[in-house]
Amino acid sequence: MHLPTQAAAPAFSPLEFRAALGMFATGVTIVSARAPTGELVGLTANSFNSVSLDPPLVLWSLSQRSLSLDAFRTGSHYAINVLAADQHELALRFATPLSDRWDGVAWTPGVAGAPLITGAMAHFECFNKSRYEEGDHVIFVGQVEQVAHRPEATPLLFHGGRFYTEHPL
């Protein structure tokens, strides 16, 4: 049996691929950091995953076209803020290119200075362990140094291009 040595060319458009990916329901996060200049950086991301329990590792990815890429590439730490259902407006705010996304946003500095958004369901404070360029994105692997969560909070979910909240079965 002869196994292929590379993937076949896709038989679908980028729009079809994006629509199919949108069928996977995810939580919503804001990934935040301090740039070397001290400026706060943050963006909405739903490409968040656990990698390992020992050591505690998580991953997320960012487009290589992102204006925030250099701050995340060069910084030593960042925070993953898992948003609660009542933080829908923050998710939208950090998903659009605004000059000051942080204006009026309540936050506290994490142990290494990355902003922790007040009211988030969970915070993962991460050392920027490794980065991998794949396709048009950079995959960031963070080693979690601090964690906090609010188990009573209702999650903000994203599916099919829309936001939802949890509805128990």
Side-chain angles (χ1 to χ4, degrees), residues 85 121 151-157 164-169:
M121 286 187 56
E152 76 285 355
T154 301
L156 179 61
L157 305 173
Y164 293 86
T165 60
E166 177 184 50
H167 297 289
L169 298 176

Side-chain angles (χ1 to χ4, degrees), residues 29-44 60 62 66-75 77-81 93-96 98-103 105 107 113-117 140:
T29 70
I30 292 176
V31 184
S32 60
R34 277 193 185 273
T37 62
E39 174 189 10
L40 299 180
V41 179
L43 52 92
T44 301
W60 65 286
L62 180 61
S66 172
L67 298 175
S68 302
L69 183 60
D70 284 341
F72 287 109
R73 264 196 179 134
T74 60
H77 288 79
Y78 53 82
I80 310 285
N81 300 274
R93 171 185 255 197
F94 281 81
T96 57
L98 297 173
S99 60
D100 190 4
R101 292 176 173 164
W102 291 95
D103 188 37
V105 175
W107 63 276
L116 305 178
I117 296 175
F140 290 85

Side-chain angles (χ1 to χ4, degrees), residues 49-82:
N49 247 38
S50 63
V51 175
S52 170
L53 293 176
D54 186 18
L57 300 173
V58 295
L59 68 77
W60 65 286
S61 65
L62 180 61
S63 170
Q64 293 203 40
R65 296 185 319 249
S66 172
L67 298 175
S68 302
L69 183 60
D70 284 341
F72 287 109
R73 264 196 179 134
T74 60
S76 66
H77 288 79
Y78 53 82
I80 310 285
N81 300 274
V82 179

